[in-house]
Amino acid sequence: MQQTSPGISLEGQVALVTGSSRGIGAVIARRFAEAGAKVALNYNASVTAATEVMDSITTGGGDAMLIAGDVSDEVSAQETIKAVIERFGRVDILINNAGIHRDRLLLRMTPADFDEVLQVNLRGAFLCTKYVMPHFVRQHYGRVINMSSVVGLTGNPGQANYAAAKAGLIGFTKAVAREVASRNVTVNAVAPGYIATGMVEDLTEEQRNQILERIPMGRFGTSEDVAETILFLSSKGAGYLTGQVLTIDGGLIA
Ligand code: NAP
């Protein structure tokens, strides 16, 4: 049964969740709205799905806005932050969730496969963090959570580009955390393991069983598992926690 953290409130706060048209980002956005945050939903291509996420939030009495934009594009990242401030007057939480993968073994991986994955997963987080930070520093409060992965800690065959990007996010998290700690801004990363999204659903039954044998909890994670951890890291109560990487993997790499 899914466990939630009913006590955590984000009432009066504004959160930007990149890549929240579907997958884990959509679940984070809905959970944040449920906790009382006003949510800015960023997406790149999936306008219909993003609109459905926004409608589900507003139908439930929440407040949300949609922002189309490629996080790896500097102007687009700047415009995204500007749009949040224009609409909600402030921003308190940035979840750098947008991500892609282009999996291939190294010998077959093209420079374009490598660059594209680094651009979205790493440069995208850099740009959004860079352009939100002046607001966080000025208000002496902010939360940044970067979406890494266990493969950024362990590596994984066929994912040299993705693992490099996710490992890069960990160094980025730790460096920026040190830069802004004195301004009451925290910067942390989460490293999910196997989360039951489209990626896991595409595996064969044999592959799924092999993976499940390696997970001490004996189940795949859910997007809700990830959202609950991120909700905690985004809360005021996590104010003395910075520069950390929390693995959300059922004990996989414990
Ligand atoms: P997903 O279902 O593929 O969703 C990816 C999201 O990122 C979509 O909303 C997509 O929006 C958005 N996106 C892609 N490129 C973008 C860009 N250039 N600018 C803005 N948004 C962009 O992925 P997921 O499985 O939910 O994963 C979410 C995050 O968790 C990723 O960073 C992923 O690496 C990480 N993660 C996932 C797992 C897992 O098991 N699923 C495990 C560890 C880490 P559009 O559709 O509109 O393009």
Side-chain angles (χ1 to χ4, degrees):
M1 191 173 68
Q2 188 59 49
Q3 308 205 327
T4 58
S5 318
I8 294 180
S9 167
L10 298 179
E11 209 62 54
Q13 297 193 50
V14 174
L16 166 61
V17 185
T18 70
S20 48
S21 50
R22 52 198 172 84
I24 300 171
V27 174
I28 296 168
R30 287 200 190 93
R31 183 66 183 95
F32 274 32
E34 209 181 290
K38 293 175 181 166
V39 184
L41 304 157
N42 156 262
Y43 68 97
N44 189 35
S46 308
V47 62
T48 308
T51 307
E52 278 169 20
V53 179
M54 187 174 81
D55 290 348
S56 70
I57 291 174
T58 51
T59 305
D63 201 350
M65 71 181 291
L66 274 187
I67 311 169
D70 176 353
V71 289
S72 68
D73 179 87
E74 184 175 9
V75 173
S76 178
Q78 266 177 302
E79 292 295 323
T80 296
I81 307 295
K82 207 170 131 202
V84 181
I85 303 288
E86 273 172 15
R87 166 72 191 274
F88 291 130
R90 60 182 296 128
V91 58
D92 305 281
I93 300 163
L94 168 66
I95 312 298
N96 284 313
N97 167 77
I100 57 166
H101 55 90
R102 301 277 181 269
D103 299 353
R104 279 173 197 211
L105 293 172
L106 180 71
L107 294 183
R108 293 196 177 144
M109 189 174 284
T110 65
D113 292 332
F114 187 83
D115 290 346
E116 213 181 321
V117 168
L118 270 284
Q119 292 275 329
V120 176
N121 293 275
L122 187 54
R123 177 183 155 93
F126 158 71
L127 289 172
C128 293
T129 307
K130 174 178 169 61
Y131 289 112
V132 85
M133 199 52 78
H135 300 280
F136 286 179
V137 166
R138 213 173 298 128
Q139 71 192 5
H140 214 74
Y141 185 86
R143 299 274 184 266
V144 179
I145 289 93
N146 294 317
M147 190 67 91
S148 181
S149 163
V150 289
V151 311
L153 293 162
T154 64
N156 199 27
Q159 292 195 309
N161 49 1
Y162 185 78
K166 295 304 190 184
L169 271 177
I170 292 172
F172 175 72
T173 298
K174 289 179 179 286
V176 181
R178 286 175 184 270
E179 285 185 27
V180 297
S182 67
R183 315 310 282 264
N184 200 32
V185 177
T186 66
V187 186
N188 290 290
V190 294
Y194 289 97
I195 306 303
T197 59
M199 212 167 70
V200 165
E201 281 151 24
D202 289 345
L203 299 171
T204 64
E205 197 177 337
E206 192 188 346
Q207 287 171 322
R208 288 166 67 98
N209 289 338
Q210 280 171 356
I211 293 167
L212 283 172
E213 273 172 26
R214 291 168 44 216
I215 302 174
M217 283 196 180
R219 68 167 177 91
F220 292 110
T222 64
S223 297
E224 286 76 12
D225 288 321
V226 179
E228 290 302 320
T229 304
I230 290 181
L231 178 64
F232 166 66
L233 288 173
S234 303
S235 70
K236 291 193 170 162
Y240 201 54
L241 200 170
T242 197
Q244 300 304 305
V245 186
L246 294 188
T247 54
I248 311 167
D249 66 353
L252 179 68
I253 64 163

